[in-house]
Amino acid sequence: MVEFIPKIALISGSTRTGSINKNLVNAMAHLFKAAGAKAVKIDLNTYEMPIYNGDWESENGVPKTAKNLVRRLKSCDGVFIATPEYNGSLPALLKNTIDWTTRIELGQFSGPVYGIGSASPGPMSGIMVLRQLHFILNRLGATTVPRQLGVGMAEKAFDKKGQFIDGRTKNYADTLVSQMLTEISRRQ
């Protein structure tokens, strides 16, 4: 009998070098691997797409990169998204990526189990953006686990190995990982 190893995509809504949300993705990848899952980081820099515009789509069709991203997400059992909060909302990159992928289908949302998190330089830990991302994902048919992960004061949240320093934050992250893997297992 072949052992089932869940495949988890990890996406940062920020592509900036040194992004604290990339750090959050790295920390979560450690936890998913420790829990027996295969962690696959998806870099949105490799999926360039123009700002969504219906006229552009009519003339050019859906970007090939959006189609490739949909295929990749559908091949995963779970997706963890770490997003920055820009002025209380989603960054344009993440929203645009979601919008383009919905022009193809919605299986990339209804298939995998989703978990969401946000790292912020301040103490509020991205609570506004987590509400919005949760709403959007669920509206598109995603199953999003109840535990959301907010990491405030994120410049001091990770050690040199990219793992969580604070025990409370790590416990929340472990709960999110457990909820995702339990729901994935339930679906098998």
Side-chain angles (χ1 to χ4, degrees), residues 85-89:
E85 181 177 293
Y86 292 173
N87 301 311
S89 187

Side-chain angles (χ1 to χ4, degrees), residues 61-187:
V62 175
K64 184 178 180 181
T65 53
K67 294 175 184 176
N68 291 341
L69 181 57
V70 167
R71 272 194 297 281
R72 194 151 183 215
L73 292 173
K74 285 177 60 178
S75 76
C76 293
D77 302 294
V79 177
F80 175 78
I81 299 174
T83 182
E85 181 177 293
Y86 292 173
N87 301 311
S89 187
L90 272 74
L93 170 67
L94 183 57
K95 181 66 167 77
N96 192 59
T97 300
I98 290 170
D99 291 344
W100 268 118
T101 65
T102 64
R103 301 302 296 159
I104 300 160
E105 64 170 289
L106 297 177
Q108 70 276 19
F109 298 106
S110 61
V113 173
Y114 277 76
I116 59 175
S118 180
S120 71
M124 297 301 288
S125 65
I127 58 174
M128 299 291 285
V129 74
L130 289 174
R131 282 188 213 142
Q132 292 174 12
L133 182 56
H134 182 264
F135 174 80
I136 292 167
L137 291 174
N138 282 291
R139 189 171 187 289
L140 295 173
T143 298
T144 308
V145 297
R147 168 53 66 199
Q148 297 177 6
L149 183 61
V151 181
M153 312 304 280
E155 278 92 6
K156 300 175 184 174
F158 310 100
D159 65 19
K160 291 184 192 316
K161 294 180 181 178
Q163 298 181 18
F164 292 105
I165 292 172
D166 177 58
R168 183 175 179 196
T169 303
K170 183 183 180 302
N171 286 341
Y172 287 151
D174 282 332
T175 299
L176 187 149
V177 167
S178 176
Q179 287 178 354
M180 285 182 69
L181 295 179
T182 298
E183 179 61 21
I184 289 166
S185 178
R186 189 189 67 75
R187 291 178 174 201

